[in-house]
Amino acid sequence: MHSRTSDRADVRAPLRASASDGLKIVIVGGFGVGKTTMVQSVSEIRPLSTEETMTQAGVGIDDASFVRSKTTTTVAFDFGRISLDEQMVLYLFGAPGQERFWFLWDRLFAGTLGAVVLVDTNRLSDSWYAIDRLEYHGTPFIVARNNFTEPQHTLEEVRDALDLPSDIPVIDCDARERESSKAVLVALARHLYSLSTSSAAARETTA
């Protein structure tokens, strides 16, 4: 899928000299779910992409049956950037979706503030590994249902299928749309803030 941001394709916004704080966010999910597209749609710079043309070498390994129009695949990670204010910068990393590249995920999670698990309701099972690894690392996350096509399940059905507790946000998005992708990052920021304030309140209670 291509991002609807062709007017921003050549933007190379320089990093402000005043930038001093970097925050790292990782976007994970199954093969072809839209991670590269989300990074492309929301980044203020032309994203660094490690997309390569899919070849016969992936036949029988990468299941492209649900994304037959997909001709490229991420083999390392995607990278984008958003300046939040004069000092704070958000760095976005899109993880590769194929199982043969999952060994990269643990390193990508290092130093991560939080994560977005992008899901396709046609292939919810592709999200289980991402959620398992995030829980293993103790990395906070939200789930975003990417609506490239008409959703096959409600958000509550997605929550139930992924066995998610009620405090983990499950939201809708279209990764091709910049405003929609921004809304996902805002939802993650709010979730992280809520976790932070709850943790602070708990510490005060036990002090």
Side-chain angles (χ1 to χ4, degrees):
M1 293 291 179
H2 295 289
S3 169
R4 298 172 186 171
T5 54
S6 57
D7 58 323
R8 299 172 54 253
D10 294 323
V11 172
R12 293 180 179 274
L15 184 64
R16 293 186 178 97
S18 59
S20 58
D21 297 315
L23 306 174
K24 180 180 177 182
I25 298 295
V26 174
I27 302 172
V28 295
F31 173 57
V33 78
K35 301 178 296 297
T36 296
T37 300
M38 176 170 281
V39 173
Q40 290 175 341
S41 73
V42 78
S43 177
E44 68 186 15
I45 60 172
R46 179 184 295 175
L48 168 66
S49 178
T50 57
E51 289 245 305
E52 296 292 342
T53 301
M54 295 173 64
T55 66
Q56 289 297 313
V59 175
I61 300 174
D62 302 329
D63 183 6
S65 58
F66 284 97
V67 283
R68 296 189 182 279
S69 62
K70 187 172 177 61
T71 59
T72 60
T73 183
T74 300
V75 297
F77 59 84
D78 301 302
F79 173 77
R81 190 188 78 207
I82 304 172
S83 295
L84 301 179
D85 56 30
E86 294 296 323
Q87 287 80 38
M88 195 167 294
V89 180
L90 185 66
Y91 296 105
L92 302 174
F93 290 81
Q98 307 97 302
E99 184 175 353
R100 57 194 169 114
F101 296 125
W102 283 353
F103 70 93
L104 296 170
W105 285 20
D106 287 344
R107 291 193 176 185
L108 278 179
F109 291 161
T112 297
L113 186 66
V116 174
V117 179
L118 207 56
V119 303
D120 179 342
T121 55
N122 290 309
R123 297 176 289 133
L124 285 177
S125 61
D126 289 356
S127 308
W128 292 341
Y129 181 80
I131 292 173
D132 177 73
R133 297 314 297 168
L134 290 169
E135 290 178 340
Y136 173 81
H137 285 276
T139 303
F141 66 92
I142 67 170
V143 171
R145 178 178 68 177
N146 187 22
N147 296 328
F148 278 161
T149 59
E150 188 68 25
Q152 300 299 309
H153 307 280
T154 67
L155 293 181
E156 283 307 308
E157 287 173 337
V158 171
R159 181 185 298 280
D160 290 342
L162 296 177
D163 194 26
L164 298 172
S166 59
D167 61 331
I168 294 181
V170 180
I171 63 175
D172 265 327
C173 76
D174 185 331
R176 297 166 294 187
E177 300 287 352
R178 185 165 191 257
E179 292 304 314
S180 183
S181 294
K182 284 174 60 178
V184 171
L185 299 180
V186 169
L188 175 59
R190 288 174 175 166
H191 179 54
L192 294 173
Y193 178 76
S194 176
L195 292 176
S196 176
T197 53
S198 297
S199 178
R203 287 195 299 270
E204 290 179 3
T205 300
T206 58

